[in-house]
Amino acid sequence: MEKHPSPIPLSKYGKRELSPFAAHELLYDYHREALDPERMEGVREQLKKHAHLKRDLARMQSADLYLSLLGKAVPPSDAIEKIDEPDTYLSVLLKKTNYERWPLAIRWGIEAAVVLCVFLAVLIVMPWNQVLNFGLSPQGREIILAEVDHGSRSVFDDGLIPISSDETAGFEDEGVKPPTPVAAAPATPPSVTAPSAVPPGRTPPAASPSPSKASPASPAPTPPTTAKPIAAEAFKKPGEGALYRGVLRVTNLDATGPKIVEKIEELGGRKAGQVELGWKKTATSSYFHFTMPQAKYDDLIHFLADYGEPRIQKEKHPRVMPEGIVRLIIEVEEAEK
Amino acid sequence: MNENDVRAIALFFFYALLDDQKAIEAGARALNLAKDKKRKQPEMANAVALVQSTFEIWKKEEAEARRMSMVRSLNPGWSLPDGTDLSPWREFHKQSSSDEIVVVIWSKILGLPDAEIATALELPEGTIRYRVGHALRRLGELTSSRPNIV
């Protein structure tokens, strides 16, 4: 087969010469030394002849050197950590919204609004009544170090004669000084009336077996008349009960107290602790600790409102009252003149 | 993806976006994307995953990067070799096309093989070399006119 003559003329030395255009296009590969020897030689020949090729090569070398220096830059370690750290919802949100680039005034405004919202939420959610009561009232400062569950253990095990009835069992009065418990004679039958023996750990009435020991200001609760055993129900385990506790300030305590007692009894209320209804706790306050039907609660509040402004709040209490019965502790105080 | 890959991603966006904060944000996204690619195709070379993920994020960021060119911030915490001036690169960044910028960064700054860049972009290797050569000439004009830059 006959060979076609080459369209590119050979040089006088019998070599195929590169055109300046081809040399220009191959210049980068020449710079990288990625050409075959023949082309390397061809580009080298063109570089000798053409100044613009030589200038282009110099530019490439300069740029290459410059870029190799840029490649030695070291990113700060915190940037690397930020890039490598796992994304959170907040970080994604901040990135998406370009929060860092927002004007400072807007960012500060948003942050202030968030702080304000949190502050308002705390103000709304915080049970301020309980917090203030804890800080101000003497009862609030009491700390229960331990509670002993007597369970169904009979008080007779202690050799004491109980005094409480079913209604008053387990209810503790506040501010009543406990007298020294007196052990009953072993031969004394439980049914015999015992003036003032109380189970240990229970707040007793102020009445003392020896009158000489009673202080003049001590309260005079109704002495127990029966010596029934304490009902096991009275010692049932703590649950989610409630206690209504409140204060009423009246202008004439001596006159108002008996009326309140009368009204409570009229509404079906019965004393809950050991002391009598309207017990003079101090010279200027009376103490009402009683249970009553829940249905009559509003009637009582309306009645009390005639004498002053009753401030009563419902508190959680471990003792669960029977259905339809509420327990209240109301202190009626002489209003300051 | 190892520590060198993370560093490469950081450098890519630092030079591509010329903004350290944006570089961190875009770098984090690109790294997550690269990890996803490696998870789906474990046989994929790290360099290919790196090029594809950085290119995807760059395409999204490019328009904004050019629009925000006046408010770029560069943190001095990014330590360049002594005597290295970024002004030729900034000038090159303004004058060049997006294709040339990213190819020069991958090939010449990060030192990735042209073949893997070509594979990642699904382009002939000659196209990559042509773009790099063209970009080098353009950048060389800027650097050779300032002999004390390098």
Side-chain angles (χ1 to χ4, degrees), chain A residues 8 16-31 35 38-40 42-47 50 52-53 56 60, chain B residues 130 137:
Chain A
I8 302 170
R16 182 186 292 171
E17 285 192 353
L18 281 177
S19 67
F21 175 78
H24 182 265
E25 295 304 306
L26 292 174
L27 204 54
Y28 175 59
D29 288 328
Y30 175 81
H31 166 64
L35 292 174
E38 190 181 349
R39 285 197 172 92
M40 285 290 280
V43 173
R44 201 173 291 126
E45 289 297 321
Q46 292 297 324
L47 281 170
H50 301 284
H52 75 276
L53 290 179
D56 274 3
M60 280 187 184
Chain B
Y130 173 80
R137 283 191 185 93

PDB file of all heavy atoms in Angstrom, chain A residues 8 16-31 35 38-40 42-47 50 52-53 56 60, chain B residues 130 137:
ATOM      1  N   ILE A   8       2.528  17.830   6.906  1.00  0.00           N
ATOM      2  CA  ILE A   8       3.414  18.768   7.590  1.00  0.00           C
ATOM      3  C   ILE A   8       4.827  18.569   7.032  1.00  0.00           C
ATOM      4  O   ILE A   8       5.384  17.481   7.113  1.00  0.00           O
ATOM      5  CB  ILE A   8       3.414  18.514   9.108  1.00  0.00           C
ATOM      6  CG1 ILE A   8       1.978  18.648   9.651  1.00  0.00           C
ATOM      7  CG2 ILE A   8       4.342  19.483   9.826  1.00  0.00           C
ATOM      8  CD1 ILE A   8       1.820  18.199  11.078  1.00  0.00           C
ATOM      9  N   ARG A  16      10.219  16.834  12.262  1.00  0.00           N
ATOM     10  CA  ARG A  16       8.956  17.552  12.168  1.00  0.00           C
ATOM     11  C   ARG A  16       8.949  18.666  13.214  1.00  0.00           C
ATOM     12  O   ARG A  16       9.098  18.398  14.390  1.00  0.00           O
ATOM     13  CB  ARG A  16       7.795  16.597  12.417  1.00  0.00           C
ATOM     14  CG  ARG A  16       6.452  17.287  12.294  1.00  0.00           C
ATOM     15  CD  ARG A  16       5.325  16.368  12.681  1.00  0.00           C
ATOM     16  NE  ARG A  16       5.199  15.296  11.705  1.00  0.00           N
ATOM     17  CZ  ARG A  16       4.410  14.245  11.885  1.00  0.00           C
ATOM     18  NH1 ARG A  16       3.725  14.109  12.997  1.00  0.00           N
ATOM     19  NH2 ARG A  16       4.315  13.304  10.967  1.00  0.00           N
ATOM     20  N   GLU A  17       8.796  19.867  12.767  1.00  0.00           N
ATOM     21  CA  GLU A  17       8.823  20.998  13.692  1.00  0.00           C
ATOM     22  C   GLU A  17       7.439  21.268  14.260  1.00  0.00           C
ATOM     23  O   GLU A  17       6.435  21.120  13.555  1.00  0.00           O
ATOM     24  CB  GLU A  17       9.326  22.252  12.984  1.00  0.00           C
ATOM     25  CG  GLU A  17      10.792  22.252  12.735  1.00  0.00           C
ATOM     26  CD  GLU A  17      11.278  23.629  12.303  1.00  0.00           C
ATOM     27  OE1 GLU A  17      10.434  24.516  12.077  1.00  0.00           O
ATOM     28  OE2 GLU A  17      12.497  23.788  12.193  1.00  0.00           O
ATOM     29  N   LEU A  18       7.397  21.691  15.553  1.00  0.00           N
ATOM     30  CA  LEU A  18       6.137  22.137  16.156  1.00  0.00           C
ATOM     31  C   LEU A  18       5.859  23.553  15.698  1.00  0.00           C
ATOM     32  O   LEU A  18       6.789  24.361  15.572  1.00  0.00           O
ATOM     33  CB  LEU A  18       6.250  22.148  17.688  1.00  0.00           C
ATOM     34  CG  LEU A  18       6.120  20.833  18.420  1.00  0.00           C
ATOM     35  CD1 LEU A  18       6.346  21.065  19.911  1.00  0.00           C
ATOM     36  CD2 LEU A  18       4.742  20.241  18.202  1.00  0.00           C
ATOM     37  N   SER A  19       4.598  23.819  15.507  1.00  0.00           N
ATOM     38  CA  SER A  19       4.237  25.207  15.198  1.00  0.00           C
ATOM     39  C   SER A  19       4.256  26.008  16.500  1.00  0.00           C
ATOM     40  O   SER A  19       4.134  25.435  17.592  1.00  0.00           O
ATOM     41  CB  SER A  19       2.856  25.253  14.579  1.00  0.00           C
ATOM     42  OG  SER A  19       1.899  24.874  15.545  1.00  0.00           O
ATOM     43  N   PRO A  20       4.392  27.307  16.435  1.00  0.00           N
ATOM     44  CA  PRO A  20       4.332  28.133  17.659  1.00  0.00           C
ATOM     45  C   PRO A  20       3.013  27.938  18.405  1.00  0.00           C
ATOM     46  O   PRO A  20       2.985  27.924  19.626  1.00  0.00           O
ATOM     47  CB  PRO A  20       4.471  29.558  17.128  1.00  0.00           C
ATOM     48  CG  PRO A  20       5.141  29.411  15.815  1.00  0.00           C
ATOM     49  CD  PRO A  20       4.694  28.097  15.252  1.00  0.00           C
ATOM     50  N   PHE A  21       1.911  27.743  17.668  1.00  0.00           N
ATOM     51  CA  PHE A  21       0.616  27.528  18.312  1.00  0.00           C
ATOM     52  C   PHE A  21       0.614  26.234  19.122  1.00  0.00           C
ATOM     53  O   PHE A  21       0.179  26.202  20.286  1.00  0.00           O
ATOM     54  CB  PHE A  21      -0.488  27.482  17.252  1.00  0.00           C
ATOM     55  CG  PHE A  21      -1.831  27.141  17.813  1.00  0.00           C
ATOM     56  CD1 PHE A  21      -2.598  28.093  18.476  1.00  0.00           C
ATOM     57  CD2 PHE A  21      -2.337  25.837  17.699  1.00  0.00           C
ATOM     58  CE1 PHE A  21      -3.826  27.762  19.013  1.00  0.00           C
ATOM     59  CE2 PHE A  21      -3.571  25.510  18.236  1.00  0.00           C
ATOM     60  CZ  PHE A  21      -4.311  26.471  18.890  1.00  0.00           C
ATOM     61  N   ALA A  22       1.136  25.183  18.503  1.00  0.00           N
ATOM     62  CA  ALA A  22       1.178  23.895  19.209  1.00  0.00           C
ATOM     63  C   ALA A  22       2.082  23.996  20.425  1.00  0.00           C
ATOM     64  O   ALA A  22       1.780  23.440  21.505  1.00  0.00           O
ATOM     65  CB  ALA A  22       1.664  22.805  18.259  1.00  0.00           C
ATOM     66  N   ALA A  23       3.180  24.703  20.258  1.00  0.00           N
ATOM     67  CA  ALA A  23       4.103  24.870  21.390  1.00  0.00           C
ATOM     68  C   ALA A  23       3.415  25.624  22.525  1.00  0.00           C
ATOM     69  O   ALA A  23       3.586  25.296  23.707  1.00  0.00           O
ATOM     70  CB  ALA A  23       5.346  25.619  20.932  1.00  0.00           C
ATOM     71  N   HIS A  24       2.641  26.612  22.140  1.00  0.00           N
ATOM     72  CA  HIS A  24       1.901  27.381  23.145  1.00  0.00           C
ATOM     73  C   HIS A  24       0.932  26.493  23.904  1.00  0.00           C
ATOM     74  O   HIS A  24       0.805  26.571  25.128  1.00  0.00           O
ATOM     75  CB  HIS A  24       1.162  28.531  22.445  1.00  0.00           C
ATOM     76  CG  HIS A  24       0.419  29.412  23.381  1.00  0.00           C
ATOM     77  ND1 HIS A  24      -0.920  29.250  23.667  1.00  0.00           N
ATOM     78  CD2 HIS A  24       0.826  30.476  24.127  1.00  0.00           C
ATOM     79  CE1 HIS A  24      -1.302  30.160  24.534  1.00  0.00           C
ATOM     80  NE2 HIS A  24      -0.265  30.925  24.820  1.00  0.00           N
ATOM     81  N   GLU A  25       0.243  25.631  23.180  1.00  0.00           N
ATOM     82  CA  GLU A  25      -0.734  24.749  23.815  1.00  0.00           C
ATOM     83  C   GLU A  25      -0.062  23.679  24.670  1.00  0.00           C
ATOM     84  O   GLU A  25      -0.658  23.207  25.640  1.00  0.00           O
ATOM     85  CB  GLU A  25      -1.616  24.080  22.743  1.00  0.00           C
ATOM     86  CG  GLU A  25      -2.490  25.057  21.976  1.00  0.00           C
ATOM     87  CD  GLU A  25      -3.376  25.878  22.906  1.00  0.00           C
ATOM     88  OE1 GLU A  25      -4.100  25.276  23.718  1.00  0.00           O
ATOM     89  OE2 GLU A  25      -3.331  27.131  22.826  1.00  0.00           O
ATOM     90  N   LEU A  26       1.147  23.316  24.285  1.00  0.00           N
ATOM     91  CA  LEU A  26       1.838  22.270  25.041  1.00  0.00           C
ATOM     92  C   LEU A  26       2.705  22.844  26.172  1.00  0.00           C
ATOM     93  O   LEU A  26       3.365  22.092  26.883  1.00  0.00           O
ATOM     94  CB  LEU A  26       2.723  21.444  24.102  1.00  0.00           C
ATOM     95  CG  LEU A  26       1.979  20.575  23.083  1.00  0.00           C
ATOM     96  CD1 LEU A  26       2.966  19.929  22.114  1.00  0.00           C
ATOM     97  CD2 LEU A  26       1.181  19.483  23.793  1.00  0.00           C
ATOM     98  N   LEU A  27       2.664  24.154  26.310  1.00  0.00           N
ATOM     99  CA  LEU A  27       3.575  24.799  27.250  1.00  0.00           C
ATOM    100  C   LEU A  27       3.363  24.330  28.702  1.00  0.00           C
ATOM    101  O   LEU A  27       4.320  24.127  29.455  1.00  0.00           O
ATOM    102  CB  LEU A  27       3.398  26.322  27.162  1.00  0.00           C
ATOM    103  CG  LEU A  27       4.585  27.156  27.608  1.00  0.00           C
ATOM    104  CD1 LEU A  27       5.863  26.757  26.872  1.00  0.00           C
ATOM    105  CD2 LEU A  27       4.296  28.639  27.386  1.00  0.00           C
ATOM    106  N   TYR A  28       2.103  24.155  29.081  1.00  0.00           N
ATOM    107  CA  TYR A  28       1.831  23.715  30.465  1.00  0.00           C
ATOM    108  C   TYR A  28       2.379  22.318  30.710  1.00  0.00           C
ATOM    109  O   TYR A  28       2.986  22.029  31.740  1.00  0.00           O
ATOM    110  CB  TYR A  28       0.333  23.768  30.757  1.00  0.00           C
ATOM    111  CG  TYR A  28      -0.028  23.225  32.117  1.00  0.00           C
ATOM    112  CD1 TYR A  28       0.500  23.792  33.281  1.00  0.00           C
ATOM    113  CD2 TYR A  28      -0.873  22.125  32.254  1.00  0.00           C
ATOM    114  CE1 TYR A  28       0.184  23.289  34.538  1.00  0.00           C
ATOM    115  CE2 TYR A  28      -1.193  21.619  33.504  1.00  0.00           C
ATOM    116  CZ  TYR A  28      -0.657  22.209  34.639  1.00  0.00           C
ATOM    117  OH  TYR A  28      -0.958  21.696  35.872  1.00  0.00           O
ATOM    118  N   ASP A  29       2.161  21.444  29.697  1.00  0.00           N
ATOM    119  CA  ASP A  29       2.694  20.085  29.855  1.00  0.00           C
ATOM    120  C   ASP A  29       4.219  20.101  29.832  1.00  0.00           C
ATOM    121  O   ASP A  29       4.861  19.292  30.516  1.00  0.00           O
ATOM    122  CB  ASP A  29       2.148  19.178  28.741  1.00  0.00           C
ATOM    123  CG  ASP A  29       0.671  18.872  28.948  1.00  0.00           C
ATOM    124  OD1 ASP A  29       0.255  18.805  30.131  1.00  0.00           O
ATOM    125  OD2 ASP A  29      -0.071  18.737  27.954  1.00  0.00           O
ATOM    126  N   TYR A  30       4.780  21.003  29.038  1.00  0.00           N
ATOM    127  CA  TYR A  30       6.241  21.165  29.032  1.00  0.00           C
ATOM    128  C   TYR A  30       6.720  21.595  30.426  1.00  0.00           C
ATOM    129  O   TYR A  30       7.688  21.063  30.957  1.00  0.00           O
ATOM    130  CB  TYR A  30       6.639  22.205  27.981  1.00  0.00           C
ATOM    131  CG  TYR A  30       8.108  22.535  27.992  1.00  0.00           C
ATOM    132  CD1 TYR A  30       9.031  21.703  27.348  1.00  0.00           C
ATOM    133  CD2 TYR A  30       8.581  23.677  28.648  1.00  0.00           C
ATOM    134  CE1 TYR A  30      10.381  22.004  27.366  1.00  0.00           C
ATOM    135  CE2 TYR A  30       9.920  23.980  28.670  1.00  0.00           C
ATOM    136  CZ  TYR A  30      10.819  23.135  28.023  1.00  0.00           C
ATOM    137  OH  TYR A  30      12.168  23.422  28.040  1.00  0.00           O
ATOM    138  N   HIS A  31       5.969  22.545  31.016  1.00  0.00           N
ATOM    139  CA  HIS A  31       6.303  23.022  32.354  1.00  0.00           C
ATOM    140  C   HIS A  31       6.217  21.891  33.387  1.00  0.00           C
ATOM    141  O   HIS A  31       7.056  21.792  34.289  1.00  0.00           O
ATOM    142  CB  HIS A  31       5.351  24.167  32.717  1.00  0.00           C
ATOM    143  CG  HIS A  31       5.354  24.540  34.144  1.00  0.00           C
ATOM    144  ND1 HIS A  31       6.460  25.056  34.794  1.00  0.00           N
ATOM    145  CD2 HIS A  31       4.372  24.465  35.096  1.00  0.00           C
ATOM    146  CE1 HIS A  31       6.166  25.294  36.050  1.00  0.00           C
ATOM    147  NE2 HIS A  31       4.919  24.943  36.258  1.00  0.00           N
ATOM    148  N   LEU A  35       5.601  15.786  28.787  1.00  0.00           N
ATOM    149  CA  LEU A  35       5.609  15.489  27.351  1.00  0.00           C
ATOM    150  C   LEU A  35       6.609  14.383  27.034  1.00  0.00           C
ATOM    151  O   LEU A  35       7.539  14.127  27.825  1.00  0.00           O
ATOM    152  CB  LEU A  35       5.987  16.759  26.571  1.00  0.00           C
ATOM    153  CG  LEU A  35       4.981  17.903  26.585  1.00  0.00           C
ATOM    154  CD1 LEU A  35       5.587  19.116  25.883  1.00  0.00           C
ATOM    155  CD2 LEU A  35       3.681  17.496  25.912  1.00  0.00           C
ATOM    156  N   GLU A  38      10.374  13.789  22.307  1.00  0.00           N
ATOM    157  CA  GLU A  38      10.347  14.469  21.016  1.00  0.00           C
ATOM    158  C   GLU A  38       9.627  15.806  21.111  1.00  0.00           C
ATOM    159  O   GLU A  38      10.091  16.825  20.619  1.00  0.00           O
ATOM    160  CB  GLU A  38       9.643  13.567  19.993  1.00  0.00           C
ATOM    161  CG  GLU A  38       9.772  14.074  18.578  1.00  0.00           C
ATOM    162  CD  GLU A  38       9.036  13.174  17.577  1.00  0.00           C
ATOM    163  OE1 GLU A  38       8.615  12.065  17.980  1.00  0.00           O
ATOM    164  OE2 GLU A  38       8.869  13.593  16.431  1.00  0.00           O
ATOM    165  N   ARG A  39       8.470  15.796  21.800  1.00  0.00           N
ATOM    166  CA  ARG A  39       7.714  17.051  21.944  1.00  0.00           C
ATOM    167  C   ARG A  39       8.436  18.022  22.878  1.00  0.00           C
ATOM    168  O   ARG A  39       8.393  19.238  22.670  1.00  0.00           O
ATOM    169  CB  ARG A  39       6.312  16.752  22.474  1.00  0.00           C
ATOM    170  CG  ARG A  39       5.399  16.153  21.420  1.00  0.00           C
ATOM    171  CD  ARG A  39       3.952  16.274  21.869  1.00  0.00           C
ATOM    172  NE  ARG A  39       3.025  15.897  20.821  1.00  0.00           N
ATOM    173  CZ  ARG A  39       2.533  14.664  20.651  1.00  0.00           C
ATOM    174  NH1 ARG A  39       2.906  13.699  21.470  1.00  0.00           N
ATOM    175  NH2 ARG A  39       1.696  14.390  19.668  1.00  0.00           N
ATOM    176  N   MET A  40       9.062  17.470  23.904  1.00  0.00           N
ATOM    177  CA  MET A  40       9.839  18.336  24.807  1.00  0.00           C
ATOM    178  C   MET A  40      10.878  19.112  24.004  1.00  0.00           C
ATOM    179  O   MET A  40      11.056  20.317  24.174  1.00  0.00           O
ATOM    180  CB  MET A  40      10.550  17.493  25.890  1.00  0.00           C
ATOM    181  CG  MET A  40       9.667  16.968  26.981  1.00  0.00           C
ATOM    182  SD  MET A  40       9.060  18.258  28.081  1.00  0.00           S
ATOM    183  CE  MET A  40      10.476  18.461  29.122  1.00  0.00           C
ATOM    184  N   GLY A  42      10.782  19.688  20.795  1.00  0.00           N
ATOM    185  CA  GLY A  42      10.099  20.605  19.875  1.00  0.00           C
ATOM    186  C   GLY A  42       9.709  21.902  20.562  1.00  0.00           C
ATOM    187  O   GLY A  42       9.904  23.000  20.031  1.00  0.00           O
ATOM    188  N   VAL A  43       9.150  21.804  21.789  1.00  0.00           N
ATOM    189  CA  VAL A  43       8.747  23.022  22.525  1.00  0.00           C
ATOM    190  C   VAL A  43       9.981  23.837  22.887  1.00  0.00           C
ATOM    191  O   VAL A  43       9.986  25.074  22.792  1.00  0.00           O
ATOM    192  CB  VAL A  43       7.944  22.637  23.783  1.00  0.00           C
ATOM    193  CG1 VAL A  43       7.666  23.865  24.627  1.00  0.00           C
ATOM    194  CG2 VAL A  43       6.632  21.964  23.400  1.00  0.00           C
ATOM    195  N   ARG A  44      11.051  23.117  23.268  1.00  0.00           N
ATOM    196  CA  ARG A  44      12.290  23.822  23.649  1.00  0.00           C
ATOM    197  C   ARG A  44      12.813  24.655  22.479  1.00  0.00           C
ATOM    198  O   ARG A  44      13.241  25.791  22.649  1.00  0.00           O
ATOM    199  CB  ARG A  44      13.331  22.787  24.103  1.00  0.00           C
ATOM    200  CG  ARG A  44      14.424  23.383  24.963  1.00  0.00           C
ATOM    201  CD  ARG A  44      15.343  22.308  25.525  1.00  0.00           C
ATOM    202  NE  ARG A  44      14.667  21.478  26.511  1.00  0.00           N
ATOM    203  CZ  ARG A  44      14.593  20.158  26.463  1.00  0.00           C
ATOM    204  NH1 ARG A  44      15.135  19.498  25.457  1.00  0.00           N
ATOM    205  NH2 ARG A  44      13.985  19.489  27.403  1.00  0.00           N
ATOM    206  N   GLU A  45      12.734  24.062  21.257  1.00  0.00           N
ATOM    207  CA  GLU A  45      13.179  24.789  20.066  1.00  0.00           C
ATOM    208  C   GLU A  45      12.345  26.047  19.847  1.00  0.00           C
ATOM    209  O   GLU A  45      12.868  27.110  19.538  1.00  0.00           O
ATOM    210  CB  GLU A  45      13.053  23.876  18.830  1.00  0.00           C
ATOM    211  CG  GLU A  45      14.060  22.747  18.800  1.00  0.00           C
ATOM    212  CD  GLU A  45      15.480  23.248  18.717  1.00  0.00           C
ATOM    213  OE1 GLU A  45      15.726  24.240  17.982  1.00  0.00           O
ATOM    214  OE2 GLU A  45      16.353  22.692  19.424  1.00  0.00           O
ATOM    215  N   GLN A  46      11.014  25.906  20.048  1.00  0.00           N
ATOM    216  CA  GLN A  46      10.140  27.065  19.838  1.00  0.00           C
ATOM    217  C   GLN A  46      10.380  28.150  20.884  1.00  0.00           C
ATOM    218  O   GLN A  46      10.256  29.335  20.594  1.00  0.00           O
ATOM    219  CB  GLN A  46       8.666  26.628  19.893  1.00  0.00           C
ATOM    220  CG  GLN A  46       8.236  25.760  18.739  1.00  0.00           C
ATOM    221  CD  GLN A  46       8.349  26.495  17.413  1.00  0.00           C
ATOM    222  OE1 GLN A  46       8.100  27.698  17.321  1.00  0.00           O
ATOM    223  NE2 GLN A  46       8.790  25.785  16.376  1.00  0.00           N
ATOM    224  N   LEU A  47      10.713  27.714  22.108  1.00  0.00           N
ATOM    225  CA  LEU A  47      10.992  28.692  23.168  1.00  0.00           C
ATOM    226  C   LEU A  47      12.201  29.560  22.824  1.00  0.00           C
ATOM    227  O   LEU A  47      12.243  30.740  23.177  1.00  0.00           O
ATOM    228  CB  LEU A  47      11.258  27.954  24.512  1.00  0.00           C
ATOM    229  CG  LEU A  47      10.018  27.479  25.262  1.00  0.00           C
ATOM    230  CD1 LEU A  47      10.419  26.561  26.423  1.00  0.00           C
ATOM    231  CD2 LEU A  47       9.227  28.662  25.797  1.00  0.00           C
ATOM    232  N   HIS A  50      10.747  32.123  20.112  1.00  0.00           N
ATOM    233  CA  HIS A  50       9.627  33.042  20.373  1.00  0.00           C
ATOM    234  C   HIS A  50       9.666  33.551  21.807  1.00  0.00           C
ATOM    235  O   HIS A  50       9.556  32.770  22.758  1.00  0.00           O
ATOM    236  CB  HIS A  50       8.296  32.340  20.097  1.00  0.00           C
ATOM    237  CG  HIS A  50       8.177  31.850  18.689  1.00  0.00           C
ATOM    238  ND1 HIS A  50       7.914  32.692  17.630  1.00  0.00           N
ATOM    239  CD2 HIS A  50       8.313  30.605  18.156  1.00  0.00           C
ATOM    240  CE1 HIS A  50       7.878  31.996  16.511  1.00  0.00           C
ATOM    241  NE2 HIS A  50       8.126  30.728  16.802  1.00  0.00           N
ATOM    242  N   HIS A  52       7.428  35.410  23.289  1.00  0.00           N
ATOM    243  CA  HIS A  52       6.169  35.370  24.039  1.00  0.00           C
ATOM    244  C   HIS A  52       5.967  34.012  24.697  1.00  0.00           C
ATOM    245  O   HIS A  52       5.364  33.912  25.764  1.00  0.00           O
ATOM    246  CB  HIS A  52       4.986  35.730  23.118  1.00  0.00           C
ATOM    247  CG  HIS A  52       4.591  34.658  22.162  1.00  0.00           C
ATOM    248  ND1 HIS A  52       5.235  34.470  20.937  1.00  0.00           N
ATOM    249  CD2 HIS A  52       3.628  33.700  22.226  1.00  0.00           C
ATOM    250  CE1 HIS A  52       4.671  33.446  20.311  1.00  0.00           C
ATOM    251  NE2 HIS A  52       3.696  32.977  21.077  1.00  0.00           N
ATOM    252  N   LEU A  53       6.518  32.954  24.068  1.00  0.00           N
ATOM    253  CA  LEU A  53       6.421  31.633  24.705  1.00  0.00           C
ATOM    254  C   LEU A  53       7.282  31.593  25.965  1.00  0.00           C
ATOM    255  O   LEU A  53       6.885  31.038  27.000  1.00  0.00           O
ATOM    256  CB  LEU A  53       6.864  30.542  23.726  1.00  0.00           C
ATOM    257  CG  LEU A  53       5.918  30.273  22.548  1.00  0.00           C
ATOM    258  CD1 LEU A  53       6.506  29.184  21.639  1.00  0.00           C
ATOM    259  CD2 LEU A  53       4.552  29.828  23.056  1.00  0.00           C
ATOM    260  N   ASP A  56       5.474  33.431  28.658  1.00  0.00           N
ATOM    261  CA  ASP A  56       4.376  32.623  29.217  1.00  0.00           C
ATOM    262  C   ASP A  56       4.907  31.562  30.170  1.00  0.00           C
ATOM    263  O   ASP A  56       4.316  31.294  31.223  1.00  0.00           O
ATOM    264  CB  ASP A  56       3.609  31.936  28.085  1.00  0.00           C
ATOM    265  CG  ASP A  56       2.523  32.840  27.521  1.00  0.00           C
ATOM    266  OD1 ASP A  56       2.432  33.993  27.993  1.00  0.00           O
ATOM    267  OD2 ASP A  56       1.788  32.396  26.618  1.00  0.00           O
ATOM    268  N   MET A  60       4.053  31.065  34.128  1.00  0.00           N
ATOM    269  CA  MET A  60       3.579  29.798  34.707  1.00  0.00           C
ATOM    270  C   MET A  60       4.437  29.381  35.885  1.00  0.00           C
ATOM    271  O   MET A  60       3.930  28.944  36.928  1.00  0.00           O
ATOM    272  CB  MET A  60       3.599  28.688  33.644  1.00  0.00           C
ATOM    273  CG  MET A  60       2.439  28.710  32.713  1.00  0.00           C
ATOM    274  SD  MET A  60       2.497  27.256  31.662  1.00  0.00           S
ATOM    275  CE  MET A  60       1.132  27.566  30.598  1.00  0.00           C
TER     276      MET A  60
ATOM    277  N   TYR B 130      -5.817  22.008  30.494  1.00  0.00           N
ATOM    278  CA  TYR B 130      -5.967  23.254  29.734  1.00  0.00           C
ATOM    279  C   TYR B 130      -6.385  24.401  30.672  1.00  0.00           C
ATOM    280  O   TYR B 130      -5.836  25.498  30.615  1.00  0.00           O
ATOM    281  CB  TYR B 130      -7.001  23.079  28.613  1.00  0.00           C
ATOM    282  CG  TYR B 130      -7.312  24.372  27.916  1.00  0.00           C
ATOM    283  CD1 TYR B 130      -6.449  24.883  26.941  1.00  0.00           C
ATOM    284  CD2 TYR B 130      -8.445  25.112  28.256  1.00  0.00           C
ATOM    285  CE1 TYR B 130      -6.714  26.096  26.321  1.00  0.00           C
ATOM    286  CE2 TYR B 130      -8.717  26.318  27.640  1.00  0.00           C
ATOM    287  CZ  TYR B 130      -7.848  26.806  26.671  1.00  0.00           C
ATOM    288  OH  TYR B 130      -8.103  28.008  26.069  1.00  0.00           O
ATOM    289  N   ARG B 137      -1.200  31.064  33.499  1.00  0.00           N
ATOM    290  CA  ARG B 137      -0.730  32.216  32.716  1.00  0.00           C
ATOM    291  C   ARG B 137      -1.334  33.515  33.273  1.00  0.00           C
ATOM    292  O   ARG B 137      -0.646  34.514  33.443  1.00  0.00           O
ATOM    293  CB  ARG B 137      -1.133  32.061  31.250  1.00  0.00           C
ATOM    294  CG  ARG B 137      -0.290  31.090  30.498  1.00  0.00           C
ATOM    295  CD  ARG B 137      -0.577  31.183  29.011  1.00  0.00           C
ATOM    296  NE  ARG B 137       0.141  30.160  28.283  1.00  0.00           N
ATOM    297  CZ  ARG B 137      -0.356  28.973  27.978  1.00  0.00           C
ATOM    298  NH1 ARG B 137      -1.578  28.639  28.340  1.00  0.00           N
ATOM    299  NH2 ARG B 137       0.381  28.093  27.316  1.00  0.00           N
TER     300      ARG B 137
END
